[in-house]
Amino acid sequence: MIDKKLTQHLADLSKINFTDEELEKITVQMGDIINLMDKVKEIDSNNPTYTIDAVNYSDLRADEVAESSPNEDILKNSKETKENSFVVPKVV
Amino acid sequence: MSLTELRKKLDSHEISVKELTKEYMEKIEKKDKILNSFITVCDETEKEAIAAQDIIDKGQSKAMTGIPISIKDNICTEGIRTTCASKMLNDFVPFYNATVTEKLNNEKAVILGKTNMDEFAMGASSCTSYFGRVKNPYNTDCVPGGSSGGAAASVAAGLCAAALGSDTGGSVRQPAAFCGVTGLKPTYGTVSRYGLIAFASSLDQIGVIANSAEDTGYVLNSIYGYDVNDRTTSKKAQGNYLSKIGQNIKGLKIGIPKEFFSDAVSDDVKQSVMSAAEYYKSCGAELVESSMPSLPYAVSAYYLISSAEAASNLSRFDGIKYGYRSSEGDTFNELISNTRREGFGDEVKRRILLGNYALSSGYYDAYYKNASRIRKKIRDEYAQIFEKCDIILTPTAPTTAYKAGYQENDPVKMYLADICTVTVNIAGLPAISTTCGYDSNNMPIGMSLVGKAFDEALIISAADAFEKDFYKKEAVI
Amino acid sequence: MKYIPVIGLEIHAEMLTKSKVFCSCANEFGGDRNDRVCPRCSGMPGTLPVVNHEAVTLAAKAGIALGCTVNNYSAFDRKNYFYPDLPKAYQITQFEFPICTNGLVHILNRDIRINRIHIEEDAGKLVHDDYEGISMADYNRCGVPLIEIVTEPDFRTVEEVQTFVEEIALRLKYAEVCDAKLEQGSLRVDVNISIMPYDSNEFGTRAEIKNLNSIKAIGRAIDYEIERQSELLDKGQKVVQETRRFNDNHGNTKALRSKEEAHDYRYFPEPDIPPVFISDEEIEDIKKSMPEMPQVRYKRYTEEYKLPEDDAKLIITDKAFSDFYDSAVSLYPQYKEISNIMLGEVNRNLNDTGKTIKDISFSPEDITKIIKMTDEGKISKNAAKTIVKIMFETGDSPEKIAEDNNLIMKDNSDELEAIAQRVLSENESTVNAYKNGNEKLFGFFMGQIMSAAGKGANPKLIKDILTKKLNNN
């Protein structure tokens, strides 16, 4: 069963902050949604899983260098840059 | 007027691109205040029109030269902001083009603007957009469907000649059905996804919404193809999507899987789709009773797979490299958790949580893996049905367009309404939705024709045959 | 109490491709921040990864070099975690179906099992600004192709680990997969270590140690960690499973804050990249394109060529050096003589000039010419050394150097015969003493003849003449 603790764990994994109130609301919603999802548990686990068709090794991209993007382009949509870099609060 | 006819008129200088573009721009100006189908209207359309006209005047026109189109706002357009209808990307201006954009630019199509949608294409109502809900041109109180609701509404209201949308679980076909137009979702791997901002990579496919089946095939001819930038595209996509138009319906075997006509589907819709089946029969087609036993599992499997992929795909939106950035947060974790809290809407958050639930340790086998087993089973069941028939006929949606505010806040109800469309994405098949009737409120009803992989030409021709004998009601807007 | 350490390694190697693994940006070092970046490797919305053919080839080569099976089917997965050096917030790696599995590397009379080798992308770099309290993200390294080599926990001593790392580095260099420089980070070794009591079979809780950028640091870190864990267990405390960072200045390890508290990477199949199928023929072709590996050469040198183990070891240390040696012995199979001159004079001059074998201007054939001249008695062994030294300086041919420097020994048998005859005649009583059994006197005659013949006389020739004369008379 999904409870607030599990929702909080999922929120942590998802890197989304919720207020306590929001968390309670979404826990109820997630409960309903996961009820619906539980349907998949009915399938026999001997059934094979889906896999994407493979491509041949010979069709892979040739190892050739192309020009990179101008630094201005790479950074232009960022709200905070310094010394040609993206800025984040200091990570230890 | 079909795009083929429009092409002739442009090439014979009966119509000028500039006038045509101006006409559409004026309609947008007038009608989109009501519909809200565009997030961004391009301000350089006149320049584009002149450039296209130049090509035509030189006698070098290609299929899409000078044809005014709209592009869903999750497809990257260099220099034109691309928002995914999210606060998160409110001011994101890509410096690269999606492959489809590049192809349309190469042919000098005129891009009128970027259409509204459900945030990050997650939804079936176009009500979750950060830029406000899109209205249905048949009844503005109703939703246009989604997630490509802006695309469908823009075509239905005559604001563009054709539209590019994207379809992950029905997002091209269902809004086409709700707005009384035609929507084509090609086989997975037919159209490059490069530059389509990913929702669920293994299900997403760019599709076309237009006034007719023929027009969808016309546009697909210009955007399909293997792409070195997207190695999930297939060399099996061969083009010539109009090659079967006019082909006799006689002898065509149409599968009718009974599970698609369950109690979940309204009587209006069932009756209308079955009378379309009768129409085909009267043309000499053979109706084949068929079955998809795993359909009751499809919605759950679809939501688990698509949400898992979405949770991962949307992790890159953290406010550091582009897009919205929260002003709160002294550590990296706090900053991005606040950014994502403030930048994403409720539905997107629910899907991310669900996706991480399906992938997280201890739940992966029960959810993601079982969903993947069901996915394999559904593909096998489609293969079995196609042993006995050429195409499959189903409703596009269980109901017609509903009133806005009716079920957007009930996720489970919303998800269940995708029952008719998701299996096609799960199996990677092509499908086309076209209008097959109207309900008592004059709201359009859509039917879907599903084809074998890479057999778009056949479903386009079958839909075209129906459309030619079908009387279409005009939208009120 | 005494404990046995149980050690396994995870080794990341940067592969020597021209372009990155999933995009076409250059795979290079240096330059300005974020100037080898494109929409793909900076994680721009809508972009897709495209696998580099050469990255798969090099990973397969690494597998072959380490005795692995190269799998026909391999697939990519996403490893999800948030960190500012990872722009997509997931790393593309191979989880369920790695390209190579089940390898075996023999070192110090021990077999080390390789669990797997998989392909993955590198992350970017963060530059910290303490004053402003910010970190700056540079994505130039994002998408640099890596292989991760994962061993079984088969090591029991520091020496084994160090020998293994050196062996792996050497093989990867031979296969031209990686330049394998620990100090520069192109080879990164993480050590998983636990300890268990001597009489136990059950492994203890392990710690993972990162930031080991020299063979010496690996040794120090393992020693420190064994001691730290032993102390904990002795005190009745438990070892915590965690990642620790080795501090080279203090010689200790410290627990790192984990990248994600939850440690749940939510792996799932990468939907943007179809799995790769590589046929047996293609694997065979890759195998054929690879040079002979160092351990095979070592065997050949010691067993076939009968070189001393130390010589063989020295020759294989550098592939170009070993290649040079092999070309030389293929022209003139004097294994030990060629080994001697290469490990002696050639190496000495390489060290003195700071050159590597690739920089020198003479050929393996030149070395064989010198050996031949010595063998034929044309030059002395000392002259051979002089010729090598001059070849380094001038690049001239050995023949020319020998002539120009008067190093060729005279072939003047008649003259020497006469001198010998004279010396013997002048010392008749000594000759008799020799004939009566005082064989030591041979040296006396040699000396007399040599000094009479002067510089450049060929001792071998004199010896032959003298022997003949003393025995005949």
Side-chain angles (χ1 to χ4, degrees):
Chain A
M1 251 321 279
I2 187 145
D3 54 18
K4 229 170 110 181
K5 200 178 143 215
L6 180 55
T7 321
Q8 182 61 58
H9 172 65
L10 296 177
D12 290 344
L13 279 180
S14 306
K15 295 278 181 276
I16 302 174
N17 273 344
F18 288 99
T19 63
D20 217 40
E21 202 179 314
E22 286 166 338
L23 206 61
E24 288 200 8
K25 193 179 153 207
I26 202 163
T27 301
V28 175
Q29 286 175 338
M30 291 307 291
D32 293 344
I33 292 170
I34 286 161
N35 262 342
L36 174 64
M37 299 304 135
D38 279 340
K39 186 88 183 152
V40 299
K41 292 181 177 169
E42 292 171 20
I43 190 170
D44 184 345
S45 62
N46 288 321
N47 277 297
T49 54
Y50 162 76
T51 49
I52 312 170
D53 290 341
V55 295
N56 285 324
Y57 163 70
S58 56
D59 283 339
L60 299 176
R61 171 175 65 83
D63 184 22
E64 285 156 10
V65 176
E67 218 173 303
S68 298
S69 304
N71 188 267
E72 313 85 82
D73 280 350
I74 292 292
L75 299 173
K76 77 169 188 179
N77 279 291
S78 176
K79 297 282 188 290
E80 209 179 328
T81 64
K82 193 186 172 191
E83 295 171 15
N84 294 343
S85 313
F86 299 97
V87 171
V88 295
K90 187 166 180 286
V91 281
V92 190
Chain B
M1 186 172 25
S2 75
L3 293 178
T4 312
E5 287 161 350
L6 179 59
R7 171 83 274 133
K8 277 185 199 147
K9 294 205 162 153
L10 287 168
D11 286 347
S12 64
H13 298 91
E14 218 173 298
I15 300 176
S16 86
V17 184
K18 208 173 149 185
E19 280 164 32
L20 182 70
T21 303
K22 202 175 153 213
E23 215 174 283
Y24 278 114
M25 292 300 280
E26 280 167 5
K27 270 199 241 171
I28 292 171
E29 170 78 19
K30 199 173 107 203
K31 293 186 179 180
D32 211 47
K33 283 188 198 112
I34 306 162
L35 292 177
N36 197 28
S37 67
F38 283 87
I39 289 173
T40 303
V41 178
C42 298
D43 46 20
E44 300 209 325
T45 51
E46 192 181 332
K47 226 167 97 187
E48 279 194 57
I50 291 165
Q53 188 63 54
D54 195 43
I55 300 287
I56 293 170
D57 292 347
K58 283 184 191 149
Q60 293 168 348
S61 70
K62 302 212 177 73
M64 294 301 292
T65 310
I67 293 183
I69 52 152
S70 70
I71 295 182
K72 189 176 178 180
D73 211 21
N74 58 352
I75 296 172
C76 288
T77 41
E78 187 183 341
I80 302 169
R81 79 168 174 160
T82 301
T83 68
C84 279
S86 180
K87 181 180 179 184
M88 191 61 100
L89 290 178
N90 185 18
D91 53 6
F92 176 65
V93 180
F95 55 94
Y96 49 93
N97 269 327
T99 297
V100 289
T101 313
E102 198 70 28
K103 285 184 184 234
L104 291 173
N105 279 346
N106 287 342
E107 294 200 5
K108 286 272 178 293
V110 177
I111 297 167
L112 298 173
K114 307 293 298 287
T115 55
N116 206 346
M117 54 187 275
D118 281 299
E119 186 183 4
F120 282 103
M122 295 172 183
S125 66
S126 300
C127 291
T128 67
S129 169
Y130 175 65
F131 301 92
R133 79 172 181 95
V134 183
K135 287 170 188 163
N136 191 313
Y138 280 83
N139 179 346
T140 52
D141 288 340
C142 288
V143 302
S147 64
S148 311
S154 72
V155 172
L159 309 188
C160 58
L164 293 193
S166 69
D167 190 317
T168 306
S171 281
V172 156
R173 291 159 288 155
Q174 184 259 20
F178 277 18
C179 293
V181 288
T182 306
L184 172 67
K185 188 227 98 111
T187 310
Y188 186 80
T190 297
V191 181
S192 171
R193 293 185 295 114
Y194 186 80
L196 167 69
I197 299 180
F199 162 12
S201 312
S202 74
L203 302 161
D204 292 344
Q205 185 65 195
I206 289 173
V208 184
I209 296 177
N211 288 307
S212 67
E214 188 193 320
D215 282 1
T216 62
Y218 184 95
V219 177
L220 184 60
N221 275 336
S222 288
I223 60 167
Y224 83 97
Y226 177 77
D227 180 13
V228 292
N229 289 317
D230 173 8
R231 295 308 174 103
T232 63
T233 52
S234 172
K235 286 172 182 161
K236 288 182 196 155
Q238 286 297 328
N240 283 319
Y241 295 110
L242 300 181
S243 61
K244 291 182 180 169
I245 293 260
Q247 191 173 299
N248 203 330
I249 294 297
K250 200 164 177 227
L252 189 73
K253 289 190 207 128
I254 303 177
I256 318 254
K258 56 177 189 280
E259 291 81 0
F260 283 87
F261 296 84
S262 72
D263 290 346
V265 179
S266 77
D267 290 343
D268 280 358
V269 172
K270 267 192 262 191
Q271 277 164 22
S272 183
V273 175
M274 284 321 291
S275 59
E278 290 305 319
Y279 164 83
Y280 281 118
K281 201 175 165 190
S282 72
C283 297
E286 185 190 329
L287 302 183
V288 182
E289 238 183 77
S290 55
S291 170
M292 179 170 288
S294 294
L295 187 66
Y297 302 89
V299 167
S300 308
Y302 166 79
Y303 271 89
L304 288 166
I305 294 163
S306 63
S307 301
E309 292 182 10
S312 174
N313 283 330
L314 270 62
S315 292
R316 67 185 64 196
F317 301 107
D318 57 7
I320 306 299
K321 305 163 290 275
Y322 38 76
Y324 178 78
R325 179 177 178 127
S326 175
S327 54
E328 306 284 320
D330 295 333
T331 66
F332 173 69
N333 262 342
E334 280 173 35
L335 176 65
I336 69 168
S337 299
N338 286 330
T339 295
R340 290 162 66 79
R341 165 199 166 74
E342 294 156 27
F344 289 139
D346 288 345
E347 181 58 20
V348 172
K349 288 178 189 167
R350 281 193 288 267
R351 304 264 187 131
I352 292 174
L353 258 50
L354 174 61
N356 278 327
Y357 179 68
L359 290 176
S360 62
S361 136
Y363 299 100
Y364 181 85
D365 285 346
Y367 292 102
Y368 184 85
K369 216 156 189 179
N370 277 338
S372 176
R373 291 188 174 102
I374 289 164
R375 182 174 199 173
K376 170 87 174 95
K377 211 152 176 267
I378 287 171
R379 291 173 81 92
D380 293 346
E381 288 173 12
Y382 262 117
Q384 277 165 22
I385 297 175
F386 277 122
E387 280 171 18
K388 295 196 188 98
C389 56
D390 307 308
I391 60 174
I392 293 169
L393 174 66
T394 73
T396 303
T399 65
T400 53
Y402 45 83
K403 292 254 164 69
Y406 162 67
Q407 63 181 26
E408 301 95 75
N409 295 320
D410 185 347
V412 170
K413 208 167 176 182
M414 287 279 290
Y415 297 174
L416 284 170
D418 292 341
I419 183 76
C420 299
T421 45
V422 292
T423 57
V424 162
N425 301 77
I426 286 174
L429 298 173
I432 191 164
S433 173
T434 189
T435 312
C436 63
Y438 298 87
D439 71 6
S440 51
N441 298 317
N442 276 331
M443 295 307 284
I445 295 170
M447 66 165 178
S448 280
L449 297 171
V450 183
K452 294 175 188 171
F454 303 106
D455 201 7
E456 281 80 359
L458 185 63
I459 54 171
I460 288 167
S461 105
D464 173 73
F466 181 86
E467 286 174 356
K468 287 200 167 129
D469 281 337
F470 180 75
Y471 175 73
K472 224 170 147 178
K473 295 182 182 174
E474 290 295 316
V476 296
I477 297 278
Chain C
M1 198 167 21
K2 277 289 263 178
Y3 300 95
I4 313 175
V6 176
I7 306 166
L9 303 179
E10 287 168 22
I11 302 175
H12 285 90
E14 286 180 351
M15 292 194 278
L16 294 166
T17 55
K18 292 194 204 80
S19 62
K20 291 183 178 181
V21 59
F22 299 124
C23 68
S24 302
C25 288
N27 174 19
E28 288 167 0
F29 291 100
D32 287 337
R33 287 187 207 158
N34 290 303
D35 73 345
R36 280 188 310 282
V37 170
C38 71
R40 283 178 221 267
C41 57
S42 59
M44 293 291 158
T47 58
L48 300 168
V50 182
V51 179
N52 182 343
H53 183 270
E54 184 67 6
V56 175
T57 309
L58 293 184
K61 282 185 176 178
I64 293 164
L66 304 187
C68 294
T69 306
V70 178
N71 297 313
N72 296 121
Y73 179 92
S74 67
F76 293 87
D77 298 273
R78 289 188 188 175
K79 178 182 183 180
N80 294 285
Y81 64 92
F82 292 87
Y83 205 68
D85 64 3
L86 191 68
K88 300 191 298 300
Y90 56 83
Q91 179 193 32
I92 302 175
T93 177
Q94 297 186 307
F95 187 59
E96 210 180 340
F97 300 102
I99 175 105
C100 304
T101 44
N102 287 328
L104 203 65
V105 173
H106 187 82
I107 46 131
L108 302 173
N109 298 320
R110 228 183 141 83
D111 283 330
I112 303 299
R113 292 167 298 160
I114 310 283
N115 174 292
R116 60 190 281 150
I117 299 176
H118 62 254
I119 302 168
E120 60 187 33
E121 56 180 336
D122 207 347
K125 276 184 179 163
L126 297 175
V127 184
H128 307 293
D129 182 334
D130 286 325
Y131 182 72
E132 298 240 8
I134 58 168
S135 296
M136 288 170 280
D138 170 13
Y139 298 149
N140 281 341
R141 205 177 61 182
C142 287
V144 164
L146 300 177
I147 43 170
E148 181 174 348
I149 303 163
V150 182
T151 78
E152 298 292 349
D154 286 347
F155 303 92
R156 296 294 176 271
T157 67
V158 165
E159 193 195 4
E160 285 167 12
V161 173
Q162 290 173 324
T163 308
F164 178 83
V165 171
E166 280 169 346
E167 177 71 22
I168 294 287
L170 189 60
R171 291 195 194 180
L172 294 180
K173 279 193 262 185
Y174 266 65
E176 290 172 334
V177 170
C178 171
D179 62 14
K181 291 176 181 156
L182 278 166
E183 287 77 5
Q184 292 178 12
S186 62
L187 195 73
R188 298 169 221 158
V189 179
D190 298 339
V191 174
N192 286 308
I193 173 166
S194 66
I195 56 171
M196 59 181 181
Y198 256 72
D199 49 2
S200 172
N201 288 320
E202 209 176 306
F203 292 175
T205 308
R206 65 193 170 144
E208 183 183 2
I209 313 167
K210 289 186 180 292
N211 195 39
L212 302 168
N213 41 27
S214 69
I215 292 287
K216 212 175 131 202
I218 291 171
R220 289 170 69 209
I222 293 174
D223 285 338
Y224 176 86
E225 198 54 28
I226 292 173
E227 210 178 298
R228 184 188 73 88
Q229 293 187 14
S230 301
E231 272 174 29
L232 281 175
L233 295 193
D234 284 345
K235 281 190 272 183
Q237 292 171 343
K238 278 185 180 161
V239 175
V240 184
Q241 184 166 346
E242 63 189 355
T243 303
R244 301 178 70 85
R245 184 188 165 85
F246 179 66
N247 184 318
D248 220 346
N249 295 328
H250 300 117
N252 63 7
T253 67
K254 278 234 163 69
L256 268 180
R257 271 243 307 266
S258 63
K259 277 193 175 178
E260 182 150 354
E261 309 85 79
H263 265 304
D264 185 348
Y265 291 124
R266 291 155 285 141
Y267 286 97
F268 74 103
E270 165 57 279
D272 288 328
I273 304 177
V276 175
F277 178 82
I278 179 164
S279 69
D280 290 340
E281 294 73 34
E282 285 166 330
I283 296 168
E284 204 45 49
D285 287 347
I286 292 173
K287 220 176 257 181
K288 280 184 203 145
S289 75
M290 292 171 65
E292 190 184 28
M293 284 291 110
Q295 76 277 14
V296 182
R297 296 189 192 202
Y298 177 81
K299 215 172 162 207
R300 176 159 54 86
Y301 294 165
T302 53
E303 291 178 8
E304 261 180 66
Y305 298 178
K306 310 281 183 225
L307 294 186
E309 287 181 3
D310 285 346
D311 290 13
K313 236 178 246 170
L314 280 171
I315 294 173
I316 61 166
T317 316
D318 175 7
K319 176 170 173 288
F321 195 84
S322 170
D323 287 345
F324 195 98
Y325 173 78
D326 280 348
S327 328
V329 297
S330 74
L331 293 168
Y332 190 53
Q334 290 298 322
Y335 307 123
K336 181 65 179 140
E337 283 72 13
I338 293 175
S339 161
N340 285 348
I341 197 164
M342 284 191 65
L343 293 175
E345 247 3 71
V346 174
N347 250 353
R348 194 185 342 273
N349 281 289
L350 286 176
N351 286 338
D352 290 350
T353 56
K355 287 180 178 173
T356 74
I357 197 85
K358 282 184 185 158
D359 307 324
I360 60 177
S361 53
F362 55 90
S363 67
E365 197 184 358
D366 291 330
I367 292 292
T368 63
K369 280 180 186 163
I370 298 172
I371 304 287
K372 261 186 203 161
M373 286 195 283
T374 321
D375 287 351
E376 286 164 1
K378 286 187 183 155
I379 55 169
S380 68
K381 289 199 168 152
N382 269 333
K385 290 180 186 173
T386 311
I387 292 173
V388 171
K389 189 170 189 322
I390 296 171
M391 278 203 304
F392 264 89
E393 289 160 5
T394 65
D396 286 345
S397 74
E399 294 94 331
K400 185 172 185 299
I401 295 170
E403 295 220 3
D404 291 356
N405 295 279
N406 261 335
L407 296 171
I408 299 190
M409 294 188 287
K410 287 176 193 157
D411 183 11
N412 42 1
S413 325
D414 292 349
E415 195 186 320
L416 290 175
E417 284 241 24
I419 295 172
Q421 192 56 50
R422 203 183 71 223
V423 169
L424 292 182
S425 312
E426 285 168 0
N427 297 282
E428 220 164 300
S429 58
T430 323
V431 172
N432 287 331
Y434 175 82
K435 284 185 174 169
N436 286 331
N438 190 352
E439 290 187 1
K440 281 183 187 163
L441 289 169
F442 192 88
F444 164 75
F445 296 123
M446 278 293 291
Q448 291 287 311
I449 302 167
M450 291 280 283
S451 70
K455 198 187 165 197
N458 184 339
K460 194 169 170 283
L461 201 56
I462 296 172
K463 192 180 162 197
D464 290 347
I465 292 168
L466 186 60
T467 309
K468 207 167 70 191
K469 286 201 178 292
L470 285 172
N471 293 346
N472 285 355
N473 288 5

